[in-house]
Amino acid sequence: VENIDARGSYVIPGGIDAHTHLDMPFGGTNSIDDFRSGTVAAAHGGTTTLIDFAIQKKGGSLKEALDTWHEKAQGKACIDYGFHMIATDVPPAQLKEMADIVQEGVTSFKLFMAYPGVLLLDDSSIFRAMLRAGEIGALITMHAEHGLPIDVIVERALAEGRTAPIYHALTRPEAAEATGTERAIALAEMAGVPVYMVHLSSTRALERVIEGRDRGLKVYAETCPQYLFLSEDDLRGTPEDPFEGAKYVCTPPLRPKHHHGSLWRGLRNHELQVVATDHCPFCMHPQKELGRDSFAKIPNGMPGIETRLHLMYEGVRNGLISLNRFVEITATAPAKIFGLYPKKGTIAIGGDADLVVWDPNKKFELSLENLHMKVDYAAYPGKVVTGAPKTVMSRGQVLVHDDRWLGKLGGGEFLKRRTFDL
Ligand code: URP
Ligand code: ZN
Ligand code: ZN
């Protein structure tokens, strides 16, 4: 038996990142972290479970997508993992197939109101998928930006020669997320099913969630650290090179700073339930470069799988959330919502011993050389946080101690998740 000295530290459940995109194809390239580098980076940051997104090919089966993602993860993942299923096409055969996917332990589906022609599902398809989810106990999660007007705004900006990364933010207005959120909630209300909003970024979208919850609906929402710590200003890049802003192109876009306060308040007041990362990293060279002439071609996504707990603990230090709430939004709530509790997300007899010894006094700079994600830039360069993992364990095995990797490559197991039971 090994003794681990946790004096002066907190012992907390391993973090659960309910929203990642490892090895994800996008616009002819793939997100740069695969299941090996991505899960090693996650563990260094105190995350011991992730839920990644399998993506149905348009016209393809859900099973085919699930098989593809199992192949990506198998033998590579170093922490335990589950999958959500992105459904891009739901004719009757796939509506039926949703039940088989749930049987495989993939109990949540992501649907898109954005990206017309690529990922967008029309409202009747969304509604049918919601009804089906209700029958089989699956949870629908929603990318709720209203994509049809967005594409027109983007087209117009490009025709006017507005091609720099900042226009990514200026062409995806808050109104598009607010109306998408309201519509998703209305559809879920009519279908009589719960709904979970992914990567909520703005005040008005949050207000729609609060209204739904106040009406007694089962509406849940996650936000991400980038919407709490970064802003639209980061998309402007530097005076010498506005394209530096490409580092911060993610969707929904980073918002003006005044949104931060309402999102923190939402987390504090249990109006937002989860903080996940939407980790979807692309290198500046050559991946983000694909969009040097047009912001619309910049691969969408940011790195974040490794820095989520460090950043959220800043919220504890700054009095914005309590220590208990920090654990709840980063581990316990995602475990409960996504059918992993109490195996994951808590410290209890019978649960997996996924534990983090969290040193509240450890200083850590979120610089490129200190991080393990493969991406070639740091999203928070020079930022020094106080509070970091000292020891990280998965099922009782030490993965990381004092920033040294001690884990087994490929030691992560697939998690069959329960159906929605909150
Ligand atoms: O920019 C992002 N978020 N990329 C990943 C795809 C998505 O919509 O989550
Ligand atoms: Zn999305
Ligand atoms: Zn995402």
Side-chain angles (χ1 to χ4, degrees), residues 19 21 24 110 112 115 143 199 249-252 278 280 300-301:
H19 188 151
H21 301 278
M24 185 196 85
K110 182 181 178 189
F112 282 79
Y115 305 116
H143 182 129
H199 50 42
V249 167
C250 60
T251 304
D278 199 4
C280 191
N300 284 196

Side-chain angles (χ1 to χ4, degrees), residues 364-420:
F364 186 80
E365 186 174 334
L366 306 181
S367 57
L368 192 56
E369 53 279 15
N370 286 340
L371 297 171
H372 301 79
M373 299 175 284
K374 265 202 202 153
V375 67
D376 62 356
Y377 67 93
Y380 307 86
K383 187 172 178 68
V384 178
V385 293
T386 304
K390 184 173 165 59
T391 309
V392 180
M393 298 165 77
S394 165
R395 284 180 270 110
Q397 302 295 313
V398 175
L399 297 183
V400 178
H401 181 69
D402 284 341
D403 300 319
R404 264 178 313 124
W405 175 256
L406 300 172
K408 189 167 137 227
L409 292 175
E413 288 179 3
F414 174 66
L415 298 164
K416 278 194 163 192
R417 295 183 291 115
R418 283 195 319 277
T419 50
F420 183 81

Side-chain angles (χ1 to χ4, degrees), residues 100-291:
D100 305 336
I101 297 302
V102 166
Q103 283 296 316
E104 300 281 333
V106 174
T107 53
S108 43
F109 294 82
K110 182 181 178 189
L111 311 179
F112 282 79
M113 292 178 150
Y115 305 116
V118 189
L119 298 166
L120 179 141
L121 278 188
D122 62 43
D123 279 17
S124 56
S125 301
I126 291 173
F127 192 61
R128 283 180 211 282
M130 283 179 165
L131 290 169
R132 182 70 174 137
E135 288 166 8
I136 59 181
L139 179 63
I140 295 293
T141 77
M142 192 67 81
H143 182 129
E145 284 177 303
H146 188 12
L148 294 168
I150 286 174
D151 271 21
V152 178
I153 303 170
V154 168
E155 213 176 82
R156 194 181 54 176
L158 291 174
E160 290 168 355
R162 300 179 208 278
T163 59
I166 181 62
Y167 291 104
H168 176 72
L170 302 182
T171 56
R172 307 186 81 89
E174 180 184 11
E177 190 185 11
T179 190
T181 304
E182 175 158 22
R183 194 147 53 96
I185 294 170
L187 290 167
E189 182 176 2
M190 288 187 276
V193 297
V195 65
Y196 176 98
M197 320 308 302
V198 293
H199 50 42
L200 187 141
S201 71
S202 61
T203 304
R204 281 170 56 191
L206 175 57
E207 285 166 358
R208 302 292 85 79
V209 168
I210 295 170
E211 286 162 11
R213 291 175 64 82
D214 282 350
R215 288 207 303 280
L217 300 174
K218 289 191 172 151
V219 179
Y220 308 93
E222 85 187 6
T223 189
C224 313
Q226 55 270 33
Y227 302 120
L228 297 160
F229 287 89
L230 299 170
S231 78
E232 192 176 279
D233 293 343
D234 293 292
L235 278 153
R236 296 185 190 279
T238 59
E240 303 76 53
D241 189 4
F243 192 70
E244 285 289 298
K247 292 172 181 168
Y248 298 99
V249 167
C250 60
T251 304
L254 302 180
R255 305 293 186 184
K257 283 202 179 88
H258 63 82
H259 292 265
H260 293 178
S262 31
L263 297 179
W264 280 111
R265 193 170 57 240
L267 288 170
R268 207 162 44 243
N269 292 349
H270 297 240
E271 289 154 351
L272 289 169
Q273 289 70 45
V274 172
V275 172
T277 62
D278 199 4
H279 178 74
C280 191
F282 295 99
C283 286
M284 277 297 271
H285 309 286
Q287 295 181 301
K288 294 268 185 184
E289 284 286 346
L290 293 168

